[in-house]
Amino acid sequence: MGRRRKRGRLRITLVTGLAMLVLITAGAGWLYLRLNGNIDTFGSDGLSRNRPDADASKGENVLVIGTDARTGGNSDLGGGDSDDIGRSDTAFLLHVYADHKHAVGVSVPRDTLVTIPPCKLPDGTWSDTRTDVMFNAAYTTGQTAAGNPACTQNTVEHLTGLRVDHTVVVDFKGFSQLTDVVGGVRVCLPNDVYQKDLNPNRPTQGKRLFKKGEQTVAGQRALDYVRIRHGIGDGSDIGRIQRQQSFVSSLIKKIRSDGFTPTKLLPLADAATKSMTVDPGLGSADKLLAFAMSLKNVDLHNTKFVTIPWTYEGDRVAVVHPDADALWAALKEDRTLDGEDASGKKGGAKAAPSPSASAAEEVSGKGVSVSVYNGTATPGLAADAAAALTGRGFTVPATGNAADRARATTSITYGPGEKAHASAVARLFPDAELTAGTAPGIGVVLGADYRPGSAASPTAAPTSVPSGVADTARSADQDICSHLSYG
């Protein structure tokens, strides 16, 4: 299918576009040729014959895929065998609004149960449709160690009803180099992390990889940090997704703060282009430059990361409808998550609130700290609620499991003088019991009545963020340590 080397695993959003701005500031012919020579493409002949129509709003949808294939030297950076069939370990759809000022990245957990439509196989035949299979299996449809980005693109288009304009695959090695170039990213861990946390199949704990507290990570350590699923937080893939989203936000913020000078951006552009495999529509330096230019006015404050509305179905993840449908409809019509018309049309105004919208839309947690504990046996709830709270400006200093794991209802306990703040928290958990306590601080203990994503926003409506979307939009403006203190 024309696929050439370079695979990967990690979320890279606007990094590529920002790095390509070096072409604008440098302008040297030899530099242009050098970056042009870095770019690899994959064949598009495996794309579906029945693709969605292009959005009338002129917004762009870019699929970013990371895989656990270990070709191209990536096996040295952890996990997998070089002859494994590649799988999409992480993926998100980046919607760049037509006003070229807003963007949102929607993550799809790898364990999400989806329908994988037909895709062209290496022998020229087409695969059969598969239903209720894990999302990360789409990449294996190519039946090669490299996997097949076209098959994942087909799956995302079938899932969302949105036409994917471009697809980018990023590899371990490239991400490692990117974090080295920027001098690392500041993170914080709630506890020590060991080799067994990164690889649960190890028979022993192994050496310590990270100490508790704040630290700067780059290269291999940055890879290890974003790959860890066990040992911090609640051990769920949802929690890891939220941590990766926040890490990439901080990486972009670091790139912006360093300034767009040729000296700063040349190594970044070199590493970024070496790390990517792209569709033919981005397969040259001039095409990437045009794409970069389309992103140059996207403000980080207007860039949000969310997770598709989801719920657990056994040990897998199921998409929540109609919440997800409302999200795709909003993106198709170029409405931002707060209902603003970003189609670029003159006279476009913020949509009026839906009658079904909840008062939770107006909640702001600036300056308020809330600890969150999971009072059920369902994994991932504390991380989900924490993401919803931080998305509204709250600081979450701690999460974990409650001593009582059989709580039927959610409760909120507040200390002296904290009733007003606790009442604001309660607007995100409308069925929770509000109780005064003697200890300082506010604590939420989630019960069986808490549905994943239900605290993130009001009930889905055409003009607002759909229920079930785990929004980490404010993470880029917060200190990464406070945002990730829960792991």
Side-chain angles (χ1 to χ4, degrees):
M1 66 177 173
R3 175 90 162 109
R4 297 181 287 163
R5 59 187 178 93
K6 309 300 183 189
R7 310 292 187 267
R9 173 174 184 155
L10 306 174
R11 291 175 171 75
I12 307 295
T13 54
L14 303 182
V15 175
T16 298
L18 294 173
M20 288 305 298
L21 289 178
V22 71
L23 289 173
I24 304 170
T25 55
W30 67 267
L31 173 59
Y32 183 92
L33 292 175
R34 174 177 171 178
L35 295 179
N36 203 55
N38 287 345
I39 301 168
D40 293 321
T41 61
F42 67 87
S44 59
D45 56 342
L47 293 179
S48 173
R49 298 162 178 167
N50 299 302
R51 301 181 62 195
D53 294 332
D55 294 345
S57 68
K58 305 302 182 182
E60 283 189 291
N61 298 308
V62 182
L63 176 61
V64 181
I65 306 172
T67 78
D68 60 6
R70 297 297 181 266
T71 54
N74 291 300
S75 58
D76 295 336
L77 295 174
D81 299 321
S82 60
D83 58 353
D84 280 349
I85 293 178
R87 287 177 173 79
S88 170
D89 189 72
T90 187
F92 71 93
L93 185 68
L94 178 69
H95 179 76
V96 181
Y97 291 90
D99 68 358
H100 293 231
K101 297 178 181 179
H102 297 78
V104 60
V106 184
S107 295
V108 182
R110 63 179 183 175
D111 293 345
T112 305
L113 297 175
V114 298
T115 294
I116 298 178
C119 185
K120 191 174 183 179
L121 301 176
D123 64 3
T125 64
W126 287 73
S127 64
D128 295 327
T129 298
R130 292 184 288 166
T131 59
D132 288 328
V133 292
M134 293 190 349
F135 174 73
N136 70 338
Y139 211 76
T140 70
T141 306
Q143 299 181 359
T144 68
N148 190 341
C151 300
T152 299
Q153 180 173 325
N154 291 343
T155 302
V156 170
E157 289 189 336
H158 183 274
L159 174 67
T160 65
L162 300 171
R163 189 180 183 93
V164 174
D165 299 290
H166 297 296
T167 293
V168 178
V169 182
V170 186
D171 69 17
F172 268 27
K173 188 175 179 180
F175 182 82
S176 174
Q177 292 172 345
L178 282 173
T179 57
D180 273 332
V181 167
V182 301
V185 175
R186 197 74 176 165
V187 301
C188 183
L189 287 98
N191 49 260
D192 291 343
V193 175
Y194 296 85
Q195 286 179 306
K196 187 174 177 64
D197 298 320
L198 186 62
N199 179 11
N201 295 323
R202 282 184 58 93
T204 62
Q205 186 180 46
K207 68 179 182 180
R208 186 175 69 175
L209 297 176
F210 299 96
K211 66 181 185 298
K212 177 181 178 179
E214 293 187 52
Q215 55 214 277
T216 298
V217 296
Q220 178 68 58
R221 283 174 55 77
L223 284 170
D224 289 344
Y225 174 79
V226 296
R227 289 175 58 214
I228 293 169
R229 174 170 176 175
H230 305 279
I232 55 177
D234 59 10
S236 71
D237 192 48
I238 302 297
R240 179 170 63 177
I241 284 174
Q242 293 161 352
R243 185 168 69 254
Q244 290 174 347
Q245 289 172 336
S246 192
F247 184 92
V248 171
S249 292
S250 293
L251 175 60
I252 297 170
K253 189 174 183 179
K254 182 79 175 337
I255 293 169
R256 283 185 178 273
S257 67
D258 285 346
F260 297 142
T261 65
T263 301
K264 294 285 187 180
L265 285 181
L266 172 56
L268 182 62
D270 193 39
T273 51
K274 283 180 178 177
S275 74
M276 298 184 302
T277 300
V278 299
D279 68 271
L282 293 177
S284 66
D286 59 336
K287 291 177 181 178
L288 275 175
L289 174 60
F291 180 63
M293 291 296 291
S294 74
L295 299 179
K296 68 177 183 177
N297 292 324
V298 177
D299 195 303
L300 190 56
H301 296 282
N302 295 327
T303 302
K304 298 188 177 184
F305 297 96
V306 301
T307 302
I308 185 174
W310 63 276
T311 188
Y312 281 110
E313 187 168 301
D315 58 353
R316 301 297 182 223
V317 171
V319 178
V320 174
H321 298 283
D323 301 27
D325 304 313
L327 173 61
W328 309 135
L331 297 185
K332 189 175 184 66
E333 296 174 13
D334 237 32
R335 291 195 307 272
T336 63
L337 298 186
D338 59 3
E340 183 179 346
D341 180 0
S343 64
K345 299 175 183 176
K346 291 184 178 180
K350 188 170 181 176
S354 165
S356 63
S358 149
E361 286 184 272
E362 302 172 3
V363 173
S364 172
K366 185 175 182 181
V368 181
S369 295
V370 184
S371 297
V372 183
Y373 302 95
N374 187 354
T376 78
T378 302
L381 297 189
D384 178 82
L389 286 163
T390 55
R392 299 213 179 256
F394 292 91
T395 297
V396 181
T399 64
N401 293 323
D404 179 5
R405 303 295 300 280
R407 299 288 291 267
T409 58
T410 299
S411 64
I412 301 172
T413 304
Y414 60 91
E418 306 246 33
K419 184 175 181 179
H421 290 157
S423 295
V425 175
R427 291 163 67 187
L428 297 180
F429 304 87
D431 297 323
E433 299 174 350
L434 196 59
T435 306
T438 57
I442 300 173
V444 176
V445 179
L446 303 172
D449 60 339
Y450 178 76
R451 181 172 65 83
S454 60
S457 67
T459 302
T463 59
S464 61
V465 185
S467 169
V469 175
D471 186 356
T472 55
R474 292 176 59 94
S475 62
D477 300 327
Q478 299 170 356
D479 177 77
I480 192 169
C481 185
S482 64
H483 180 69
L484 295 179
S485 61
Y486 58 87

